[in-house]
Amino acid sequence: MLASCDSLTHDADDHVRRRKMAVCVAVIAKENYPLYIKTVPTENELKFHYTVHTSLDVVEEKISAVGKALVDQRELYLGLLYPTEDYKVYGYVTNTKVKFVIVVDSSNIALRDNEIRSMFRKLHNSYTDVMCNPFYNPGEVIQSKVFDNMVSGMMVQVC
């Protein structure tokens, strides 16, 4: 008989069995300032701010390379921007040049490229919902609880 997800919340070492999908999610404005950054764990927040900031150079290089190559302009997913010893940094850019950066733990080898793409699509759809809110002023820091809850769900997946 299969055990439910709720009954598998602790392993032998009494650690919560959660699969980290992302350790950092960032939304960067067209002018390269952060609209939203969320990190797990929060102790490494400054490190992730630096990681996201340094990834913007790679994003700009990829965007300019796509423009020169005249490939499909509808492809918004930039793929793996760069790996570090501990993390892999992925990028996505919208048609309005807003950038999404997702940092995942390098030890998470189960996370495939199509899952990363799906995370970016979900993030883009939720970002679009924020932009459609008449009470949101474009360019301000994103403070939507719905957006924050969606990102939190992307960051840690139980079982």
Side-chain angles (χ1 to χ4, degrees):
M1 187 178 265
L2 293 174
S4 71
C5 205
D6 294 335
S7 65
L8 295 175
T9 54
H10 291 85
D11 64 10
D13 296 324
D14 204 34
H15 293 293
V16 177
R17 287 176 47 100
R18 293 173 186 233
R19 193 172 78 163
K20 283 189 180 178
M21 299 292 284
V23 291
C24 178
V25 174
V27 179
I28 309 298
K30 178 171 67 171
E31 296 83 12
N32 288 340
Y33 62 90
L35 294 173
Y36 179 90
I37 294 184
K38 184 169 184 87
T39 63
V40 173
T42 55
E43 302 89 54
N44 295 339
E45 190 168 357
L46 187 60
K47 178 181 180 179
F48 289 124
H49 277 260
Y50 176 75
T51 302
V52 168
H53 182 73
T54 56
S55 71
L56 295 178
D57 292 333
V58 181
V59 169
E60 294 298 329
E61 285 177 21
K62 287 200 174 212
I63 291 172
S64 64
V66 167
K68 290 177 184 168
L70 293 174
V71 294
D72 188 3
Q73 295 287 330
R74 292 170 292 169
E75 180 57 51
L76 305 173
Y77 177 66
L78 300 174
L80 180 65
L81 299 177
Y82 66 92
T84 66
E85 189 174 317
D86 301 321
Y87 305 104
K88 293 179 185 172
V89 183
Y90 293 89
Y92 182 97
V93 64
T94 68
N95 293 334
T96 57
K97 304 295 185 241
V98 172
K99 299 151 201 83
F100 300 141
V101 176
I102 294 178
V103 182
V104 299
D105 200 327
S106 288
S107 64
N108 188 353
I109 56 173
L111 197 58
R112 289 171 293 182
D113 201 53
N114 62 340
E115 291 171 321
I116 299 287
R117 283 178 187 264
S118 175
M119 290 168 67
F120 277 120
R121 274 193 298 276
K122 188 188 251 188
L123 187 61
H124 192 174
N125 289 338
S126 191
Y127 173 77
T128 302
D129 291 343
V130 170
M131 292 297 111
C132 291
N133 182 344
F135 299 106
Y136 176 76
N137 292 323
E140 289 183 358
V141 173
I142 297 172
Q143 297 177 342
S144 166
K145 289 183 186 202
V146 174
F147 185 82
D148 192 56
N149 289 340
M150 186 280 307
V151 170
S152 294
M154 282 176 38
M155 297 186 91
V156 176
Q157 184 179 30
V158 178
C159 293

